[in-house]
Structure formats: structure tokens, C-alpha cells
Amino acid sequence: MSSQFTIKNNKSTALFLGILAALFFASTFVLNRIMAVSGGSWQWTAALRFLWMLPVLLLIVAVRGNLGPLFHAIKSNLLQWLLWSTIGFGVFYATLTFGASFGPSWLVASTFEFTIIAGMFIGPLLEKKGHRKGISKASLLFSIIIFLGIVLMQISEARATSFKSMLLGTIPVLIGAIAYPLGNRKMMQIAGNKLDAFQRTLGMTLCSMPFWILLSIFGYMNNGLPTESQLLQTLMVALFSGVIATLLFFSATDIVRSDPKALAAVEATQAMEVIFTLLGEIILLHAALPNSYSCIGIGLVVIGMILHSRSN
């Protein structure tokens, strides 16, 4: 009886931590939109997050005594680390912050969930021919649900804005949604089982630095130095999303790692990002509620994400 209670209690704790992680992950979309609305340079918004994350991650990995193996892994395959870190972190986040300049944060957050569909197709392509697994019909169905939700929201948004703004707010986010799983999955292949998640995240942050430094130079040339508020807000994004949310989510998955169903339920909690982002924009930016079509679109995206997670 006590063991059953412990298992149930562990699942509840994991679900709570997963929902809390989604809340902190959502801060990325809301704060990026706040900086965009206040006129902050998207180049600085993107670059500063990773510039802030670097010393924090360095400290965490150093305290854990794992810097040596990481530096050895990077040195042994430097060009691959530089390439896929730039795609997985650089292209992903730069396009995400650029898109935040042209659309509400809830729309960016919802559109970015296209990454689930992208990851589903990228995964088999990265496998060797003899080891490739087919895509299940259920996964295709759930992906179609997500895609329909995204299309519905875009159509709804197009009625309230120009076609050019809609494209500028959508296409970069879709590119980022593809770059994120592509870069991360390639790095997981390259790193193998030799590095943990913290080491890999630090390594990718470190190897994407040339991209961020270059983007910072463009930001300075176009807009000068970042404002104090932008420095503070990007620090919050780095801590909330890059560190706290990641730690919470990893902790949640670790608690139930031996229970596939519970693990799927924890992964499904990330669907709450869209809801938290919407609430954050309404509370902090006094944004209007999305219309009925957008609400249906958000619902389809969330349902598709949950079904995807549970099927896997």
C-alpha cells in the first residue's frame, strides 16, 4: 500500500514539476514579445540570452566536475560541434526572436510547436538506411491536427494584419522549429552517451558563440548597445528558460524515467506553454483575447501535442 502511494506521489510531483517547467519556458515567448514591442533589437534579444547562459552553465558543469570530458569531446570533433550548435541554437533562437517582432507571443509559441512535426520527420532521416523506422499513422494524424491548428491561427491572424507581417512572423518561426530538432538530434548523435544534458547544452552554447558574437555586432551597428531593460529581461529569459525550466523538466523526467506512461504524461505538460504564454501576454501586455478561430487553433495544437506525447 505504501509503495503504491509512493509511486502515485512521485507521479504527482513529476507532473507538478512539468507544469512548472512549462510556465518558465513560456517566459521566453512573453519576454521576447515585450522587448520587441518596446523597440528592443531582436539581434541583442537573441544573443544576450546565450551570452548570459554561458557563465551560468559553465559554473554548473564545473561544480559537477564535468568540464574535462566536454572539452575533450568538442576538441575531437570541433567542426561538427560548431556547425550543428549554430543550427540548433543559433538559427533556432535568432529566427524565434525575429518572429516575435511581427506577431503576438501566443502565436509564436503555438507556431513553434511545428517542431514536433519537424522532429518526427527529421528523426528517421538522420538514421542509417538499415535502421530507419517508419512514421506511424497515429503520429501522422496527430501532426495533421497540430498543423491544422497552426494554419487556423495564421488565417485568423492574417485577417488582422498585413500579409507581409504574417509571413515575417511565421516563416522564420517555422525555420526555427526545424533547426531546433535538427541541430539537437545531430549533436546527440555526435556526443553519444559520453555527455549528459548539461554538458551538451554548455557545449552547444559555447560552440554557438561565434554566431552570437557576429549577431551582436550587427545589433550594435544597427541599434547601438542594448538598453538596461533589455539586459535585465534577457537575463531573466536565460535564468527562467535556459536554467530553471530545464532543471525542472529534467528533474520531472528523471522521477518517472522507468514509467513510460508517466513519462509521456510529463512530456505532455509542455502543451501548457501555449496557455501560459497567452495568459502572460494578456496580463503583462494587456493584449486582447484571441478570436474564436484562434482559440480553436490553440486548442487543436494543445490536443495534438498531448496525443503525440501519449502515443510515444
Side-chain angles (χ1 to χ4, degrees):
M1 185 74 177
S2 60
S3 62
Q4 289 181 341
F5 176 77
T6 301
I7 293 171
K8 186 175 181 180
N9 190 47
N10 285 343
K11 288 181 181 179
S12 299
T13 301
L15 287 172
F16 173 74
L17 291 176
I19 292 170
L20 200 58
L23 174 62
F24 281 100
F25 276 130
S27 67
T28 296
F29 300 103
V30 178
L31 288 169
N32 283 353
R33 182 58 179 169
I34 290 173
M35 286 182 275
V37 170
S38 61
S41 160
W42 70 267
Q43 292 102 326
W44 279 119
T45 296
L48 282 169
R49 169 183 168 169
F50 287 88
L51 292 171
W52 283 122
M53 279 176 60
L54 183 60
V56 177
L57 288 169
L58 267 171
L59 180 61
I60 292 173
V61 177
V63 168
R64 291 161 61 94
N66 292 331
L67 282 177
L70 170 62
F71 291 148
H72 176 73
I74 294 173
K75 186 179 178 181
S76 64
N77 211 345
L78 180 60
L79 291 179
Q80 291 288 310
W81 273 88
L82 289 171
L83 172 63
W84 297 110
S85 296
T86 299
I87 292 173
F89 276 9
V91 175
F92 143 64
Y93 200 64
T95 52
L96 207 62
T97 51
F98 179 82
S101 303
F102 297 94
S105 58
W106 59 264
L107 184 62
V108 174
S110 300
T111 303
F112 182 70
E113 301 314 325
F114 182 78
T115 192
I116 296 172
I117 302 173
M120 183 181 70
F121 285 97
I122 287 170
L125 291 175
L126 296 181
E127 296 292 336
K128 294 180 180 178
K129 286 187 178 181
H131 299 279
R132 288 178 183 174
K133 296 179 180 178
I135 299 169
S136 70
K137 291 181 180 179
S139 293
L140 280 174
L141 175 61
F142 304 150
S143 296
I144 290 171
I145 292 173
I146 293 172
F147 185 71
L148 287 176
I150 292 171
V151 169
L152 195 59
M153 286 185 291
Q154 298 299 337
I155 292 173
S156 176
E157 184 66 14
R159 297 169 63 184
T161 186
S162 69
F163 183 69
K164 180 181 177 181
S165 293
M166 188 195 76
L167 289 180
L168 289 174
T170 302
I171 292 176
V173 177
L174 291 176
I175 292 172
I178 296 170
Y180 184 69
L182 176 60
N184 278 280
R185 292 191 185 212
K186 282 296 294 184
M187 283 312 311
M188 287 174 71
Q189 283 186 345
I190 293 166
N193 296 322
K194 298 176 182 177
L195 304 176
D196 62 27
F198 288 101
Q199 289 171 299
R200 193 172 67 251
T201 303
L202 171 59
M204 291 182 69
T205 301
L206 190 62
C207 290
S208 63
M209 277 300 124
F211 178 87
W212 298 124
I213 292 169
L214 186 62
L215 197 64
S216 299
I217 293 171
F218 280 112
Y220 176 74
M221 290 172 61
N222 294 329
N223 301 281
L225 292 171
T227 62
E228 288 185 14
S229 62
Q230 194 169 22
L231 285 169
L232 177 60
Q233 287 163 342
T234 51
L235 174 59
M236 290 169 64
V237 170
L239 292 176
F240 289 170
S241 182
V243 179
I244 296 175
T246 302
L247 285 172
L248 287 169
F249 189 65
F250 285 167
S251 298
T253 53
D254 280 345
I255 289 172
V256 294
R257 60 186 172 186
S258 59
D259 185 341
K261 289 185 178 180
L263 184 59
V266 169
E267 291 174 343
T269 60
Q270 299 314 288
M272 292 298 294
E273 284 180 33
V274 180
I275 307 300
F276 286 138
T277 301
L278 174 60
L279 292 174
E281 181 155 336
I282 291 171
I283 294 169
L284 297 176
L285 287 171
H286 308 291
L289 283 168
N291 60 36
S292 57
Y293 291 105
S294 293
C295 287
I296 294 171
I298 291 172
L300 288 174
V301 169
V302 172
I303 290 169
M305 289 169 65
I306 293 171
L307 291 173
H308 242 303
S309 181
R310 291 191 176 277
S311 71
N312 292 324

